[in-house]
Amino acid sequence: MWIWFAPVQAAAAFTILAVAAGGQVLRTWLLTAVVWMMAMPLFVGLEGGLVAMMLFEPLRGLLRRAQYLFVDYASQDPIHLVTPIVTLLAFVLLVRSWKLEIFLATPLAGSVSLLGIIYLLEMFNPLQRSLLVGLAGGLFMLMPLAWFYFGQSVNEQFINRALQLVIALGILTSLYGVYQLVYGYPAFEQYWIDNTDYYLSINVGHIRRALATFSSAEEWGRYAEVGAIAAVGFATGTKLLIKRVGWIICGAALIGAVLLTGERTAIFGLLLGIGALILLGARSFPGMLTRLGLLLLPIVLIAVFVSAPSEDEMWSKGDNETVSTLLSHAERGTLKPANEESFQVRLENWTYLITSVIPYRPLGAGLGAGSLGEVRFSSDSDLPPIDSFILVVAVACGIPGVLLFIWILGRTAWLSIRNARSPDDEGGTVRRIVAAVMLALILNSIFGLTFALYSVAPMAWLLIGWVSRETVRIHQAKEREVITL
């Protein structure tokens, strides 16, 4: 017991000195302490470190805004280095254990390793004008990719716990988002909103979106979307009534959170994921067709008989009608997505990139090109907002890079569906949830920045790695079964 007395006393003394020295010193000390707390579980096992990072990431946005209680606003923030530092340490420990075998251990490992090499080389691409831009791109894209190798190293029980953790954190963080909608932003968060120049889409009509504890409404929407799909999957996979009711309540809460984000891509991803769960639960192909027909029937009826609210109706709502404004925005974007002005702007930007940018930079413009890092570190950036991670990869890594990324996503989806349809009962519910989430992530990558979101990108790569590992496990189980027969 006494062995902990000296470190605790030292930490208390350093904290007092940091408070006396001023905000910058206090922030440095607090971030150092967070890194230490997240890294220590790694020396016990990989899973402990992963859980620590998964607990931190959904809170990163709130903690970043809370620091403005004692420091002034700055666009470059050291809090974004916390998880990459711990990720790098975990990756080094993993490589020491697996050696070079880790880069080719499963069906997807070779492709992901090649993509990682492309990412690494593109960090030093001179077309992005500054190495700082490339390093910023590495934080957004390369560091989350390391979680693929973590996914190769964990078992089904950990993925089960990780999905349940996402559900629990999704509900808790969404409660804070409801607080922001009802009571408004606290002063320290309002200070961040007033100073940031990089989040124009926070305004919807006369009100501001809620962010919950995340860095953006998009991140909140994606996180709640994954949690909602997982909760519905657990509800359909359990036979105990009390557990099913509990999971249904969790799923309903997270579905409500997705609607409150006003993120239409998250809504469509949620619908796709739940639809995939229902179809994958069918025991035969005719049963799957029957379920597909039942799923399409309400969609057709809604499309025919329900009219979307007009844009004027959204703008006519008062400043205090936050919830109804966001629901109106979500309803309009879901029922008439092609008529949204923001969607038309996206199409124009994508057309410009496909016809006038990507063909003239076929090998990429650098890992940070087209990302927030380029806006912050390169004042002469000439690229419009992209809002599609597929095109972000195309701009950053060129045509070979984006084709490889699309191949990885497509093959992962195929393998996850095949694994979910496997007769092997071990982990069947988790495999169906992961397959449904993967399909939603593909949609979100076309119409959003899923693989660049702080709390979602690591989870996405973790699931891809586990799908690759699970493919090997199922194949080996079938081989043992054949040998036994």
Side-chain angles (χ1 to χ4, degrees):
M1 177 178 177
W2 290 99
I3 194 172
W4 292 101
F5 183 75
V8 170
Q9 288 291 92
F14 275 121
T15 302
I16 294 172
L17 291 174
V19 171
Q24 295 293 343
V25 176
L26 177 60
R27 178 173 66 177
T28 302
W29 164 242
L30 291 176
L31 292 180
T32 302
V34 170
V35 171
W36 181 81
M37 288 189 295
M38 291 169 60
M40 285 302 293
L42 291 174
F43 295 101
V44 178
L46 174 65
E47 294 183 358
L50 297 182
V51 169
M53 288 187 280
M54 290 177 64
L55 288 171
F56 171 78
E57 279 303 313
L59 303 175
R60 187 200 293 207
L62 176 62
L63 295 175
R64 179 193 180 190
R65 297 188 289 271
Q67 71 181 342
Y68 297 129
L69 289 168
F70 51 86
V71 297
D72 294 330
Y73 175 82
S75 58
Q76 291 82 39
D77 199 324
I79 196 172
H80 298 314
L81 300 176
V82 171
T83 301
I85 290 173
V86 182
T87 297
L88 188 59
L89 178 59
F91 182 69
V92 169
L93 294 175
L94 194 64
V95 172
R96 286 186 60 186
S97 175
W98 282 65
K99 310 300 181 185
L100 295 179
E101 178 188 355
I102 193 175
F103 298 106
L104 297 169
T106 59
L108 291 169
S111 300
V112 174
S113 298
L114 180 58
L115 182 64
I117 292 173
I118 294 175
Y119 279 1
L120 185 62
L121 294 175
E122 290 291 350
M123 286 176 60
F124 305 96
N125 191 323
L127 293 179
Q128 61 196 345
R129 301 180 181 88
S130 171
L131 180 58
L132 289 176
V133 176
L135 293 175
L139 294 179
F140 283 108
M141 297 171 63
L142 182 58
M143 286 295 105
L145 184 142
W147 283 63
F148 169 86
Y149 302 102
F150 303 154
Q152 286 188 149
S153 308
V154 299
N155 53 27
E156 178 265 332
Q157 287 77 18
F158 177 80
I159 297 297
N160 189 350
R161 291 194 296 269
L163 291 170
Q164 293 178 7
L165 182 61
V166 170
I167 294 170
L169 290 175
I171 293 174
L172 292 175
T173 54
S174 296
L175 289 175
Y176 186 68
V178 174
Y179 170 84
Q180 291 173 330
L181 283 174
V182 175
Y183 297 103
Y185 286 97
F188 65 90
E189 293 190 295
Q190 186 63 51
Y191 173 78
W192 174 78
I193 293 172
D194 292 339
N195 282 274
T196 185
D197 297 324
Y198 308 114
Y199 195 14
L200 301 178
S201 62
I202 192 173
N203 296 310
V204 176
H206 295 295
I207 63 100
R208 284 180 172 144
R209 301 175 190 264
L211 309 179
T213 61
F214 299 89
S215 296
S216 66
E218 180 181 8
E219 185 180 3
W220 177 24
R222 297 296 187 276
Y223 197 89
E225 170 195 338
V226 173
I229 294 171
V232 173
F234 285 125
T236 59
T238 184
K239 296 180 180 179
L240 294 177
L241 179 60
I242 187 169
K243 285 188 176 181
R244 178 166 293 181
V245 171
W247 287 125
I248 289 174
I249 293 173
C250 291
L254 288 169
I255 290 172
V258 172
L259 296 176
L260 290 178
T261 65
E263 286 290 325
R264 293 154 293 178
T265 303
I267 295 174
F268 283 113
L270 175 63
L271 295 175
L272 177 60
I274 293 178
L277 279 173
I278 295 173
L279 295 179
L280 290 172
R283 297 184 178 181
S284 63
F285 185 71
M288 185 178 293
L289 291 178
T290 302
R291 294 188 179 202
L292 180 61
L294 293 175
L295 285 173
L296 292 177
L297 180 61
I299 295 175
V300 172
L301 291 176
I302 290 174
V304 172
F305 295 105
V306 178
S307 59
S310 65
E311 187 174 359
D312 293 337
E313 181 178 339
M314 182 184 69
W315 281 96
S316 65
K317 296 183 180 297
D319 295 348
N320 59 341
E321 297 180 277
T322 54
V323 174
S324 59
T325 300
L326 282 171
L327 291 178
S328 177
H329 174 73
E331 182 183 359
R332 173 178 167 78
T334 303
L335 295 177
K336 301 291 183 181
N339 293 340
E340 286 289 286
E341 182 181 354
S342 60
F343 182 72
Q344 300 297 327
V345 173
R346 279 190 187 185
L347 291 181
E348 293 175 5
N349 291 339
W350 293 350
T351 301
Y352 167 72
L353 292 170
I354 293 172
T355 59
S356 303
V357 176
I358 297 173
Y360 298 97
R361 302 173 185 175
L363 297 181
L367 196 61
S371 71
L372 188 58
E374 184 177 35
V375 177
R376 286 176 174 168
F377 296 108
S378 181
S379 58
D380 55 349
S381 173
D382 58 350
L383 294 176
I386 299 179
D387 296 322
S388 169
F389 191 77
I390 299 289
L391 289 180
V392 167
V393 177
V395 171
C397 302
I399 296 174
V402 71
L403 291 179
L404 180 59
F405 180 72
I406 293 173
W407 161 257
I408 292 171
L409 286 187
R411 192 166 185 222
T412 302
W414 167 251
L415 291 177
S416 65
I417 292 172
R418 193 175 68 176
N419 293 346
R421 300 295 296 170
S422 171
D424 183 8
D425 291 333
E426 183 181 351
T429 299
V430 174
R431 292 201 302 270
R432 285 192 294 273
I433 293 173
V434 172
V437 170
M438 283 309 309
L439 293 176
L441 290 178
I442 291 176
L443 176 66
N444 295 159
S445 298
I446 298 173
F447 297 99
L449 302 172
T450 298
F451 280 82
L453 300 176
Y454 300 130
S455 60
V456 182
M459 189 67 185
W461 282 113
L462 181 78
L463 295 180
I464 292 174
W466 181 75
V467 167
S468 191
R469 175 194 178 278
E470 189 70 359
T471 300
V472 174
R473 189 196 67 78
I474 293 175
H475 179 71
Q476 291 174 344
K478 290 181 179 178
E479 286 185 341
R480 287 194 296 268
E481 184 178 346
V482 170
I483 293 174
T484 302
L485 293 177

